[in-house]
């Protein structure tokens, strides 16, 4: 029997009569890199927001490790090991790279909001923070103020801060958006590296990234699940090609 870490059952979200996510049944297998793709407006980010409870479903259920988490608050879902990144790099620009990762590590100490405590209490986290920076090839940038990092490196830092929170399931929202070819390659290799011993669900537009690292792909169209399978299966699906009309269809074929 397949080990499913995350499952949705008829997950639905309506906004004043508009159905953004329509009865989506999604199964993410443990240890996989699973992509959620689809044309603009397909409901991908809305689906992510439902999974992490930034939005409340209109109906349906979300199961994580076999337990219904539909009614949990976002922080309780994060406590269980479901950690997400965002389309826009979410780092503290005026802290150093090391300090950003250390904030992620504070959660384990239970001092996340104790900003009045001496900074010396955080020094014990420095070694682990440097290990995480090494994982994402940022060790030499440890003392750099984050605002001075190139964009691609900021996304790598965001992945490091996500890793600091010990995720069992990482949700990555457009991890290569806005990047040049070199940064895309670097972040793609990074995602492959950090996928060891964890599961990744990602929204991604870059089909060369999806084809290169994803075990399974789910395609959304108008909020509904259109197709699912390996990259070869979905890229040869006539319905998927129709959904990706024009330049997107060319990009889908070109990555094949």
């Amino acid at each position: 029997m397949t080990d499913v870490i995350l499952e949705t059952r008829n997950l639905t979200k309506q906004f004043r009569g508009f159905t953004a996510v329509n009865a989506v049944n999604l199964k993410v297998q443990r240890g996989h890199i699973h992509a959620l793709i689809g044309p603009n407006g397909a409901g991908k980010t809305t689906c992510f927001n439902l999974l992490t409870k930034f939005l409340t479903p209109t109906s349906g259920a979300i199961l994580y490790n076999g337990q219904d988490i539909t009614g949990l608050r976002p922080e309780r879902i994060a406590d269980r090991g479901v950690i997400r990144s965002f389309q826009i790099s979410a780092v503290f620009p005026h802290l150093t790279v090391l300090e950003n990762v250390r904030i992620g590590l504070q959660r384990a100490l239970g001092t996340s909001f104790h900003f009045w405590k001496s900074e010396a209490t955080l020094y014990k986290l420095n070694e682990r923070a440097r290990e995480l920076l090494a994982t994402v090839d940022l060790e030499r940038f440890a003392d750099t103020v984050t605002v001075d990092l190139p964009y691609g490196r900021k996304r790598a830092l965001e992945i490091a801060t996500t890793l600091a929170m010990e995720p069992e399931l990482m949700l990555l929202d457009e991890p290569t958006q806005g990047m040049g070819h070199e940064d895309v390659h670097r972040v793609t290799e990074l995602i492959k590296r950090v996928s060891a011993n964890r599961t990744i669900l990602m929204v991604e537009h870059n089909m060369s990234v999806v084809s290169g690292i994803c075990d399974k792909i789910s395609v959304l169209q108008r909020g509904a699940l259109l197709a699912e399978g390996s990259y070869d299966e979905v890229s040869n699906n006539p319905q998927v090609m129709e959904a990706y009309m024009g330049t997107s269809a060319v990009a889908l074929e070109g990555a094949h």
Side-chain angles (χ1 to χ4, degrees), residues 228-250:
E228 201 167 56
S230 68
Y231 181 79
D232 283 344
E233 289 169 337
V234 300
S235 65
N236 288 304
N237 184 312
Q239 289 179 298
V240 174
M241 296 307 298
E242 186 179 346
Y244 275 89
M245 286 189 300
T247 55
S248 293
V250 171

Side-chain angles (χ1 to χ4, degrees), residues 53-68:
K53 292 305 297 293
F54 284 83
L55 288 173
T56 301
T58 304
S59 60
I62 305 165
L63 281 75
Y64 178 63
N65 283 325
Q67 296 186 323
D68 192 327

Side-chain angles (χ1 to χ4, degrees), residues 32-37 191-192 200 202 204 206 208-217 229-231:
H32 275 194
I33 301 177
H34 191 130
L36 196 59
I37 70 170
I191 291 168
K192 279 202 295 190
I200 294 177
M202 59 190 285
E204 181 55 67
N206 189 321
S208 65
V209 173
V210 171
S211 66
I213 65 173
C214 292
D215 301 292
K216 192 173 183 181
I217 299 161
S230 68
Y231 181 79

Side-chain angles (χ1 to χ4, degrees), residues 128 132 135-136 159-167 170 194 198:
R128 177 59 180 151
L132 288 167
T135 299
V136 299
I159 290 173
T161 58
T162 304
L163 290 172
M165 291 183 275
E166 298 293 339
M170 288 178 71
V194 303
R198 59 178 54 86

Side-chain angles (χ1 to χ4, degrees), residues 105-115 117 121-122 125:
L105 290 168
Q106 273 184 263
R107 194 169 74 102
L109 292 183
T111 60
S112 299
F113 302 106
H114 295 183
F115 293 114
K117 285 197 170 188
T121 63
L122 302 179
L125 301 177

Side-chain angles (χ1 to χ4, degrees), residues 25-209:
N25 293 303
L26 186 68
K27 287 186 178 181
V28 179
Q29 296 178 22
R30 191 181 309 279
H32 275 194
I33 301 177
H34 191 130
L36 196 59
I37 70 170
N40 289 333
K44 303 180 297 295
T45 296
T46 301
C47 196
F48 256 36
N49 286 334
L50 292 170
L51 294 175
T52 49
K53 292 305 297 293
F54 284 83
L55 288 173
T56 301
T58 304
S59 60
I62 305 165
L63 281 75
Y64 178 63
N65 283 325
Q67 296 186 323
D68 192 327
I69 62 169
T70 317
L72 295 185
R73 293 175 58 83
E75 63 271 20
R76 296 281 77 85
I77 290 175
D79 285 342
R80 292 190 179 211
V82 181
I83 309 292
R84 74 172 289 184
S85 73
F86 295 85
Q87 284 182 329
I88 300 170
S89 188
V91 291
F92 294 97
H94 299 297
L95 296 180
T96 67
V97 168
L98 180 71
E99 287 167 341
N100 264 281
V101 178
R102 212 165 56 185
I103 285 174
L105 290 168
Q106 273 184 263
R107 194 169 74 102
L109 292 183
T111 60
S112 299
F113 302 106
H114 295 183
F115 293 114
W116 57 87
K117 285 197 170 188
S118 166
E119 188 182 15
T121 63
L122 302 179
Y123 289 164
K124 68 181 80 172
L125 301 177
N126 283 359
E127 183 178 355
R128 177 59 180 151
R130 290 185 184 279
E131 289 175 0
L132 288 167
L133 289 178
T135 299
V136 299
D137 196 26
L138 286 178
E139 197 170 19
R140 66 187 181 278
F141 296 101
D143 298 321
T144 302
V145 177
T146 301
V147 72
D148 296 328
L149 278 183
Y151 178 71
R153 299 285 188 179
K154 285 179 185 172
R155 298 313 300 262
L157 174 58
E158 185 179 323
I159 290 173
T161 58
T162 304
L163 290 172
M165 291 183 275
E166 298 293 339
E168 184 180 21
L169 172 62
M170 288 178 71
L171 276 65
L172 304 179
D173 196 356
E174 298 282 6
T176 68
Q177 186 181 49
M179 290 185 186
H181 177 75
E182 184 179 337
D183 280 338
V184 167
H185 177 73
R186 182 185 296 118
V187 171
T188 301
E189 290 301 309
L190 169 58
I191 291 168
K192 279 202 295 190
R193 192 157 68 241
V194 303
S195 67
N197 303 316
R198 59 178 54 86
T199 306
I200 294 177
L201 176 62
M202 59 190 285
V203 169
E204 181 55 67
H205 273 105
N206 189 321
M207 290 300 108
S208 65
V209 173

